[in-house]
Amino acid sequence: MQPILGNDTYEKFSENGKIGLRNITTDQVVIEAIYDDLGWSKGGLETPHGLIGLKQNERWALANIDGSKITSHLFSELYPFTDNAFVVGMRSRFSILNDYGAINAKGNEIIPTEYQWIEPIGDALIVSKKKGNQSHFGLLNKNGNSLLPLEFNHIERINNQTLSVQNDQRLYALYTLKGKALSDFLYELILRYDENTFKVKYYNKEGLIDRKGTLIIPPEYKSLNLRNGKAEVLPFNKWTVFTLESSPKTFAHDDIWLINKDLVAIQTNGNIGIVNISNKNTFDHYVQKMQITHTQAELLAVKKNGFEGVINAEGETILSPQFDSVQFFKSVIFAKSQRKDNQNWIPYDLTGKRIGIQFYEKITQKEDGSFLPQRNGKYGLLDAEGYEQSPFIFDKIYDFENGLTVAEYQENQGVIKDNGNWLITPYKDSIQIIGKRIFYQQGTEYGVYDLFEQQIFRSINPVTPYQNAFSELTDDGYKLYDFDANELSPNTYDSVYQISPDFLVLKSKSKFQLLQISAAQTFKLDSKTQQVRGHREGLISVMMENEWGFVSEQGLLTIANRYQQAKDFSQGLSAIRINGNWGFINTDDQITIQPTFQSVESFINGLSTVKINDLYGLIDLNGVFVLNAVYNQLTRKQGFILLEKDKQFGLANHEGVLVRTPQFDSMTTTDNINFIVSRNGKYGVVDIEGRDRVPVSFDVIKQSGDTFLAMEKQAWIELKINK
C-alpha cells in the first residue's frame, strides 16, 4: 500500500494475471487490471504530480493517476529523478543494452536517449557514453545541460552533495553536484569517511580531506582512524637504501626490492610500483591490486587474484598472472600451471616467449646452469636456455664430469654425453667415471674404458678404481695397474688404499709398502710400521712402535717416530703432540714452536688456530700470537675469521687482523665481504675492514650485491588535526 495523493491510499491489485490500481480510501478502482505492472521500473508506487508508469509487453508508458497515458509504451526503463523529470531507457539499435535519457512530465524529451549509463543524484545526472572500447563520463543538470563534459574516466557519488571524478591519468578530484572542482586531481581514490571528511589515497597511501577539498592529513600513511577530533595514523615501514656510490635514500612502503642501481620495486598495501631512486624517488610505473613475490635482476614475479606472473623493470607484462608458481633462472623462466597429469612446468625465455611445446613434472638446475627435468616419470636434459637436448628416456641421470655422466635406463647403466647421446649403451650393471677412465661391471665381467669407449682392461675379477690407478682382486690378492692397464707391480697384496693422487699404500702379511703410481715403483717400509696415513709436502706420516714419525717418498725414515700424534706437513711445519701438548716441528725434525697448546690446527695461509686454557687464538709460523687466545670459538672461513667470546661475535680478516671485537649477537655473510650483524634485536652491516655500512638500528636488512635495503618498523602515532 502507498499513499499517493492527498490523504488517499492506493495499492496494486491483481486480476486474471494483470495488475491494476485501487484507491483503498474510497474502495474505487482507479486503473483497470490490464497491465503487466504499475509504478516504476525500479519499484515503488510514489508519483510526482499525480503521474505513474504503466508496463505492458515489457515496455513502460508515462501516465496520469487516472490511467490516461501521456506517452506510448516506449521505454524499457522508466523512473522519476525529480518532481517533473523521469529517467527513461530504450533498447539500443546497436546492442541488446539500453540507451538512456530523460523526459519531462509532459513526455517531452529533455535529455536525448543516447547514453549507455545514467545515475540520478539530486538534481543532476551522471552519464556515460562509449567511444570505441572506452567509457567516458560526464555530468548533466536536470535540463540536460552539461555541468561536466564527457571526458572523464569515471564519476561516482560520494554523498548527496559531492562527486569523485577520475581523469584520464586515473587520478581523482572532488567536485560538487554543480560541477565545481573542490580539489585538484591528486588522488587515486576518494572514499567517504564520515559526514564531514573523505579518505583519500595516493599510491595506495591514505590521507584525509574535508568536504571542501582541503587537505587535513597528507596521503602518507598505511592506515588512519579518527576519534574525538584526533587522528591515529600508522606510517609505512621506513626503508633506507645504502649503496657505495651515493648517500642513503629513504622510502615509506611495506616492502622494497632492488632492480638495478637506479630502480627499486615497491609494495604498498596491495599495489606495486617501480621507483626511480636517482630521480627524486619518482614512480616510473605503477600497478594496482598486485603483489610482488620475488625478484631476480630486472624481472619481478607478481601475484594477482592468487596467480603469479612476471613483469619487467619497464612495467611490461612478460607473463600474465595465470600461473601457480614462477621460478627465475639466468636465461629462462619456468612457470607452473597445475595439471591433472602433474606435467606442470613450462619454460619461457626472458621476453615471455614459450620454449617448445612440452610440460615437465619437475625441474632441477645443474651446476653448469643446464637443467635436469622430468617428464612422464623419465628424465632428460635441457640446456641453460631451456631447450631440450635429449630424449626423455632415462630413469636417472647423475652429475656430469668432463662432459660425461652415468645414466640409468631400464635398470641398467650407461654413459651419456652432455647432449644426451650414448657413449656407452646401457647394458652395464654399474658404471663409475673416475678422471678420464670409465669403470664398469656387467654380470661377472669387470672392465675399463677410456673416454672414447675404447676398451682398456677386462677381467672376471672385481676391479676397484683409485685416482690414476686401479686394482684387480685375484685369488692371490690385489694386483695393481695404471690407467693404461700397465702393471704397477708384479706382486699381489692383501689390501690397498690411497693416501695421495700419486701414492698407494700396499699391505701384505702385515708388511707395508709405498707405490708411486707415476714411477711404477714400490718402496718397502720398516717392518715395525703399524700405520701409514697422510702424504703432504714430500713426507708421509707413519706409526712405528706406537709413536708417529715421517718417511720420505722412498720409504726412508726422515723424522724419527717419537711423537704421540703427528699431523701432515703444511707450509713446512707439522703439528706434533708430546706429553699431551701440541707444538710444531719443521722438516729437519726441529721443534720450531714449543708444545704448549691443548690443540692446534695445521697452518693455512701462514696461520694456525691454537687452544690454551680452553680458549682459542691464532699464531703465525713463528709461534707469535696474531690473535690472543681469548675466544670461546674461532672459525676460519674463506677470506675472514669469525670470533666468538661470551656469546658475542666479532671479526678478523684472513690475515688475522682484528677488525671488530666481539660485540654482536649474530653475524652472517653471503659474500665474505659484508656481514649482517645484530644487537638487541636490531640489525646492521659491517664490511671485512670493520667499517659500518649500515647502522645497527634496523628491524630487517636485505642484501642485493653490495647494496643493502634496511627497514624500520613503524607504530601508530597520534596527530592533532583541525576539522
Side-chain angles (χ1 to χ4, degrees):
M1 292 184 295
Q2 178 75 35
I4 298 181
L5 291 173
N7 294 321
D8 290 347
T9 301
Y10 295 80
E11 69 174 2
K12 292 192 290 184
F13 71 94
S14 176
E15 189 175 282
N16 298 322
K18 296 294 183 178
I19 305 297
L21 189 69
R22 176 184 289 116
N23 186 325
I24 296 178
T25 306
T26 64
D27 197 28
Q28 292 180 333
V29 173
V30 179
I31 299 176
E32 295 292 335
I34 59 174
Y35 296 103
D36 297 330
D37 201 1
L38 296 170
W40 308 106
S41 59
K42 286 196 172 184
L45 273 176
E46 71 279 2
T47 176
H49 300 294
L51 302 179
I52 197 168
L54 308 176
K55 185 179 181 182
Q56 195 168 48
N57 297 325
E58 301 299 321
R59 294 288 186 270
W60 291 87
L62 183 65
N64 294 301
I65 191 66
D66 61 6
S68 59
K69 297 177 183 177
I70 298 173
T71 71
S72 301
H73 290 276
L74 300 172
F75 311 113
S76 53
E77 288 199 42
L78 173 67
Y79 58 89
F81 83 95
T82 66
D83 285 347
N84 59 0
F86 303 84
V87 171
V88 295
M90 300 181 70
R91 185 63 55 85
S92 172
R93 292 176 295 171
F94 307 106
S95 74
I96 61 173
L97 303 177
N98 288 326
D99 289 334
Y100 293 93
I103 60 175
N104 62 18
K106 296 180 179 180
N108 298 323
E109 182 180 81
I110 55 176
I111 297 175
T113 311
E114 61 185 20
Y115 298 99
Q116 280 74 58
W117 182 81
I118 196 166
E119 181 187 359
I121 172 172
D123 287 341
L125 288 166
I126 302 173
V127 295
S128 172
K129 267 188 183 182
K130 269 198 170 182
K131 295 180 182 178
N133 294 323
Q134 180 68 41
S135 292
H136 294 266
F137 290 77
L139 185 69
L140 307 177
N141 67 14
K142 64 182 181 181
N143 298 318
N145 298 321
S146 176
L147 299 174
L148 288 175
L150 275 164
E151 60 182 33
F152 297 99
N153 275 14
H154 191 65
I155 299 175
E156 62 180 288
R157 170 170 59 182
I158 302 180
N159 59 24
N160 289 331
Q161 294 84 35
T162 320
L163 299 173
S164 175
V165 180
Q166 187 189 54
N167 65 10
D168 57 4
Q169 303 299 311
R170 305 187 68 83
L171 292 175
Y172 284 91
L174 199 66
Y175 274 76
T176 68
L177 294 186
K178 302 296 184 182
K180 178 184 177 182
L182 298 174
S183 77
D184 292 330
F185 288 92
L186 298 174
Y187 312 110
E188 66 184 28
L189 194 63
I190 302 176
L191 299 170
R192 184 177 184 272
Y193 187 83
D194 61 22
E195 183 179 351
N196 297 309
T197 57
F198 301 100
K199 185 179 289 188
V200 294
K201 289 189 176 184
Y202 182 68
Y203 289 127
N204 219 18
K205 297 181 178 184
E206 294 186 1
L208 206 66
I209 60 175
D210 65 17
R211 59 185 179 181
K212 295 181 180 179
T214 304
L215 187 66
I216 301 172
I217 298 174
E220 299 174 356
Y221 300 99
K222 183 175 179 66
S223 187
L224 62 83
N225 293 312
L226 289 181
R227 289 189 182 92
N228 302 321
K230 294 182 179 180
E232 288 183 336
V233 295
L234 177 62
F236 279 90
N237 296 333
K238 180 181 177 182
W239 288 90
T240 306
V241 178
F242 293 87
T243 66
L244 291 174
E245 295 81 15
S246 59
S247 58
K249 295 180 175 64
T250 59
F251 305 86
H253 301 286
D254 285 329
D255 207 349
I256 68 173
W257 294 260
L258 187 72
I259 296 176
N260 57 40
K261 67 182 182 65
D262 295 322
L263 300 177
V264 295
I266 62 94
Q267 184 82 54
T268 308
N269 285 325
N271 299 349
I272 67 173
I274 298 171
V275 176
N276 192 320
I277 60 178
S278 64
N279 188 22
K280 298 183 180 179
N281 295 353
T282 57
F283 274 86
D284 283 2
H285 309 284
Y286 185 61
V287 183
Q288 293 180 310
K289 297 180 181 178
M290 198 173 278
Q291 291 181 321
I292 300 171
T293 60
H294 57 283
T295 65
Q296 176 177 289
E298 300 199 357
L299 294 177
L300 290 75
V302 295
K303 180 175 282 189
K304 185 175 184 178
N305 299 325
F307 294 96
E308 289 194 10
V310 179
I311 64 175
N312 63 16
E314 285 73 44
E316 300 168 336
T317 297
I318 302 300
L319 296 177
S320 60
Q322 58 180 321
F323 301 99
D324 298 306
S325 181
V326 169
Q327 288 189 19
F328 293 134
F329 297 93
K330 183 178 180 181
S331 302
V332 64
I333 304 167
F334 282 97
K336 180 181 181 181
S337 291
Q338 195 67 41
R339 289 161 48 104
K340 291 182 179 179
D341 59 5
N342 290 325
Q343 310 297 310
N344 301 319
W345 291 98
I346 312 165
Y348 294 86
D349 67 19
L350 300 186
T351 67
K353 180 181 177 182
R354 181 166 178 174
I355 300 170
I357 60 173
Q358 300 296 342
F359 296 81
Y360 305 100
E361 292 169 35
K362 61 182 180 180
I363 301 289
T364 304
Q365 189 174 38
K366 301 188 298 175
E367 289 185 2
D368 64 358
S370 61
F371 299 93
L372 182 64
Q374 188 179 34
R375 186 172 74 229
N376 298 321
K378 299 295 183 180
Y379 290 92
L381 299 171
L382 303 183
D383 66 14
E385 307 291 327
Y387 291 90
E388 290 194 2
Q389 298 295 293
S390 76
F392 280 70
I393 60 173
F394 306 106
D395 299 314
K396 192 171 184 179
I397 298 175
Y398 294 83
D399 292 334
F400 276 84
E401 184 176 347
N402 297 322
L404 299 176
T405 190
V406 177
E408 293 184 4
Y409 174 75
Q410 296 183 354
E411 299 184 355
N412 290 314
Q413 292 189 341
V415 175
I416 60 172
K417 303 174 184 178
D418 53 12
N419 61 5
N421 293 334
W422 291 106
L423 175 70
I424 298 176
T425 52
Y427 59 88
K428 311 297 185 186
D429 295 331
S430 66
I431 292 179
Q432 283 182 274
I433 302 175
I434 308 291
K436 295 184 178 181
R437 293 295 179 261
I438 300 169
F439 295 84
Y440 72 86
Q441 178 188 356
Q442 182 181 355
T444 59
E445 179 181 291
Y446 296 81
V448 183
Y449 291 108
D450 66 14
L451 299 185
F452 301 99
E453 202 184 0
Q454 298 299 311
Q455 185 90 46
I456 293 173
F457 183 82
R458 179 184 297 174
S459 174
I460 61 172
N461 298 316
V463 170
T464 301
Y466 311 104
Q467 285 181 274
N468 305 312
F470 63 90
S471 65
E472 176 193 14
L473 181 56
T474 68
D475 292 339
D476 297 326
Y478 289 95
K479 194 169 183 60
L480 298 165
Y481 303 87
D482 67 14
F483 264 13
D484 293 321
N486 300 312
E487 284 190 9
L488 291 171
S489 171
N491 302 319
T492 58
Y493 302 92
D494 297 334
S495 65
V496 180
Y497 62 92
Q498 195 157 29
I499 58 172
S500 68
D502 197 33
F503 276 87
L504 298 173
V505 176
L506 317 175
K507 188 177 181 182
S508 183
K509 297 178 181 179
S510 300
K511 304 298 182 184
F512 288 89
Q513 293 184 54
L514 297 174
L515 171 61
Q516 187 175 17
I517 299 169
S518 61
Q521 283 187 284
T522 57
F523 306 98
K524 291 183 179 181
L525 297 179
D526 192 291
S527 61
K528 296 189 291 292
T529 302
Q530 297 167 282
Q531 291 186 45
V532 182
R533 202 161 53 192
H535 172 218
R536 289 282 300 276
E537 299 185 0
L539 294 171
I540 298 165
S541 55
V542 297
M543 176 191 278
M544 292 186 290
E545 298 175 323
N546 296 323
E547 294 194 304
W548 288 89
F550 291 86
V551 298
S552 68
E553 293 178 346
Q554 290 74 40
L556 301 176
L557 187 63
T558 302
I559 296 176
N561 52 307
R562 60 191 182 94
Y563 302 107
Q564 291 173 305
Q565 291 186 53
K567 298 185 179 183
D568 292 344
F569 271 87
S570 176
Q571 297 192 261
L573 297 179
S574 168
I576 50 88
R577 187 167 178 245
I578 302 174
N579 297 324
N581 291 324
W582 288 86
F584 288 88
I585 60 171
N586 61 21
T587 55
D588 294 326
D589 197 16
Q590 296 171 329
I591 295 179
T592 59
I593 299 174
Q594 291 298 319
T596 58
F597 306 106
Q598 284 177 265
S599 68
V600 298
E601 298 294 335
S602 295
F603 277 95
I604 301 174
N605 297 327
L607 300 173
S608 169
T609 302
V610 299
K611 184 178 182 182
I612 301 177
N613 300 323
D614 294 327
L615 296 174
Y616 293 91
L618 205 64
I619 61 172
D620 63 17
L621 290 166
N622 297 314
V624 177
F625 275 100
V626 175
L627 289 172
N628 290 329
V630 296
Y631 303 103
N632 301 112
Q633 195 63 258
L634 188 153
T635 306
R636 298 181 67 181
K637 300 286 187 180
Q638 184 178 359
F640 70 94
I641 302 169
L642 188 65
L643 309 173
E644 182 181 354
K645 183 180 181 181
D646 300 329
K647 297 183 180 179
Q648 296 286 291
F649 293 90
L651 183 67
N653 65 20
H654 71 283
E655 296 176 341
V657 176
L658 182 66
V659 296
R660 293 301 285 261
T661 58
Q663 58 190 272
F664 303 110
D665 299 331
S666 68
M667 179 176 284
T668 59
T669 182
T670 57
D671 60 9
N672 298 345
I673 298 172
N674 298 288
F675 299 81
I676 297 177
V677 298
S678 72
R679 185 166 52 226
N680 300 324
K682 297 295 183 179
Y683 293 86
V685 180
V686 299
D687 65 16
I688 190 60
E689 296 182 12
R691 296 173 298 193
D692 288 311
R693 287 286 314 276
V694 179
V696 186
S697 59
F698 294 92
D699 297 293
V700 173
I701 290 182
K702 298 197 293 186
Q703 182 177 1
S704 181
D706 61 0
T707 298
F708 292 90
L709 315 175
M711 183 267 280
E712 297 171 84
K713 293 179 181 177
Q714 304 296 302
W716 287 89
I717 57 176
E718 189 176 277
L719 296 179
K720 196 169 185 180
I721 60 171
N722 296 315
K723 289 178 57 180

